[in-house]
Amino acid sequence: MSSTVETAIEIRPFQVDIPEEELAKLHRRIAATRWPSKELAPDRSQGVQLAALGELAHYWENDYDWRRAEAKLKALPQFTTQIDGVDIHFIHVKSSHKDALPLIMTHGWPGSVMELIDSVGPLTDPTAHGGSAEDAFHLVLPSLPGYGFSGEPVEVGWDLGRTAQAWAELMRRLGYTRYVAQGGDVGAGVTDAMGRQGPEGLLAIHTNLLVPALSGTMPTDTDEERAAAAQIATFQQSGNGYFVEMATRPQTIGYALLDSPVALAAWMIDHDTDAYYKIARAFVDGQPSGNLTRDNVLDNITVYWLTGTGASAARSYWEAYGPDSPAAGRQPLPPPSIPFGFTTFPGEIWRTPRSWVEASYPNVIYFNEVDKGGHFAAWEEPELFSAELRAAFKSLR
């Protein structure tokens, strides 16, 4: 094998170390923000409210400490490896428990590995978090291509399926011959694609966003199904502005996301109603919902800013959902035959009925409806989220 090929498949240690000058530049840009006048509507119907964003910016400039977040990252084993021409960053934490089950877990937008790292302890060391040693996982947390510390694709074609293939290659390189996968938001799309592709060694998948409901017609025979369909309709009518822009014109919004940290923050917190109001309360009222604290929210936003990945992350929506992308019009692969698990959280964009899950996947081994948490379930409720994954994959051990 040539040295070039050996270099391409090398797994290299990685460490985050942001120069102090970059943090000083961030503070100067926040201070130089040109602010619009206050919104005229009494709620979020015109977008992110001035009071919420003003409090976020003030805290970001004056009180937020990136070095605390950087220390959290440095405490975890991180690596990069080149797959299909893109450097993929990932966290890889091996459990000390015997026979731990390998799990690859994929974040979404506007998330990053930061939204997942509070689940590392409960998943890799469950005995310290109310579980048993038999519930332990070896954990792989990759950064999506074009997100965070992963490299940006330099060609079109990095859709959900291509990322799914890269994840299978990553697990192969790590020596895992049997493993499971989890995803939410964009990560649910990648995980769904993995299940449909059926790479060797993939035993089962779990998601907390029902991907087929975004592109197909679901049954509306029961009150529960009609309520879920109505929630999706509301989202598509008045809540998906970010989705449409990034799926059709990601480069356009990318200029603002790379130039203004406050514009980036506004774009990222304006995702869904439940998460927006929880984040707003954290900054305006000092009342976080679970782990959606001011610091944790800004950890995630600051990763996007310091890595300059606002535009490249937006392009992932064009690749996955855009009418002009290479994947547009491509028929999905058949539903996966491997076991499928699903957890529905009450604050999600829509509350998924069990009947929809069973209509979408032929081999449902786990379904549960919990009483707290939202779209960013692993971030907001890491202990509950981890317990769900332990329960979902228990039969596969």
Side-chain angles (χ1 to χ4, degrees):
M1 185 179 291
S2 72
S3 60
T4 303
V5 174
E6 289 173 358
T7 300
I9 65 172
E10 181 185 8
I11 295 176
R12 304 173 297 274
F14 177 86
Q15 183 168 280
V16 180
D17 192 8
I18 302 299
E20 192 64 35
E21 176 57 23
E22 290 302 313
L23 301 178
K25 288 179 182 177
L26 168 60
H27 293 152
R28 290 196 294 270
R29 282 180 175 268
I30 296 172
T33 300
R34 290 181 62 191
W35 292 91
S37 58
K38 185 178 182 296
E39 68 281 352
L40 302 180
D43 53 24
R44 75 175 290 248
S45 59
Q46 288 190 336
V48 173
Q49 294 160 294
L50 184 63
L53 199 61
E55 290 295 333
L56 183 153
H58 181 270
Y59 188 84
W60 202 4
E61 181 185 358
N62 297 288
D63 300 303
Y64 172 72
D65 180 12
W66 163 255
R67 297 302 181 198
R68 179 195 55 81
E70 194 172 78
K72 289 172 69 174
L73 284 167
K74 286 182 176 180
L76 298 171
Q78 297 176 78
F79 306 90
T80 61
T81 188
Q82 189 178 104
I83 302 177
D84 201 6
V86 174
D87 283 336
I88 300 298
H89 162 265
F90 62 99
I91 295 169
H92 184 201
V93 183
K94 290 188 176 183
S95 174
S96 62
H97 295 293
K98 183 181 178 181
D99 299 326
L101 182 63
L103 165 64
I104 183 167
M105 194 156 66
T106 311
H107 67 83
W109 185 93
S112 66
V113 292
M114 299 305 299
E115 72 179 271
L116 303 177
I117 60 177
D118 285 327
S119 298
V120 170
L123 290 172
T124 61
D125 187 15
T127 57
H129 298 268
S132 63
E134 293 77 22
D135 295 330
F137 294 93
H138 298 310
L139 201 55
V140 179
L141 308 178
S143 295
L144 288 163
Y147 286 69
F149 303 104
S150 281
E152 294 187 15
V154 294
E155 60 182 2
V156 298
W158 271 93
D159 57 15
L160 299 172
R162 190 168 175 180
T163 302
Q165 291 170 343
W167 278 193
E169 171 62 15
L170 175 60
M171 297 303 276
R172 187 193 68 79
R173 289 187 189 180
L174 293 175
Y176 292 130
T177 57
R178 58 190 304 274
Y179 61 94
V180 294
Q182 145 68 27
D185 193 78
V186 174
V190 173
T191 303
D192 173 83
M194 290 182 73
R196 293 171 189 271
Q197 291 169 0
E200 185 177 359
L202 180 62
L203 303 177
I205 62 174
H206 177 280
T207 71
N208 48 283
L209 182 78
L210 192 69
V211 174
L214 288 171
S215 56
T217 301
M218 295 287 113
T220 54
D221 299 323
T222 68
D223 289 344
E224 187 182 23
E225 291 171 346
R226 285 188 287 272
Q231 288 178 310
I232 292 177
T234 297
F235 170 71
Q236 292 174 336
Q237 290 164 6
S238 61
N240 70 338
Y242 74 91
F243 188 105
V244 173
E245 179 70 15
M246 295 198 299
T248 58
R249 295 293 185 271
Q251 190 71 11
T252 302
I253 190 61
Y255 297 108
L257 303 183
L258 269 291
D259 187 63
S260 166
V262 170
L264 174 69
W267 190 250
M268 290 177 66
I269 68 173
D270 193 20
H271 181 271
D272 66 277
T273 300
D274 177 74
Y276 167 74
Y277 280 124
K278 287 172 177 174
I279 292 170
R281 283 195 297 270
F283 283 98
V284 176
D285 303 321
Q287 298 178 355
S289 176
N291 257 24
L292 283 177
T293 65
R294 293 180 297 183
D295 285 325
N296 285 347
V297 169
L298 284 172
D299 288 348
N300 184 55
I301 296 172
T302 306
V303 165
Y304 275 73
W305 177 260
L306 294 175
T307 59
T309 50
S312 55
R315 291 186 204 120
S316 73
Y317 272 65
W318 183 91
E319 293 281 11
Y321 311 109
D324 300 318
S325 74
R330 189 181 301 163
Q331 291 300 311
L333 295 171
S337 59
I338 61 173
F340 178 80
F342 189 85
T343 301
T344 179
F345 291 85
E348 185 53 274
I349 298 172
W350 71 90
R351 198 157 187 161
T352 298
R354 180 174 190 137
S355 58
W356 282 13
V357 176
E358 293 177 340
S360 302
Y361 296 93
N363 190 7
V364 178
I365 61 164
Y366 184 83
F367 176 88
N368 195 30
E369 185 173 349
V370 296
D371 59 1
K372 59 182 177 179
H375 186 76
F376 302 100
W379 197 5
E380 185 180 351
E381 300 290 344
E383 296 279 356
L384 173 60
F385 177 82
S386 301
E388 283 299 297
L389 294 189
R390 294 197 297 263
F393 293 125
K394 197 171 189 67
S395 64
L396 300 172
R397 295 178 182 274

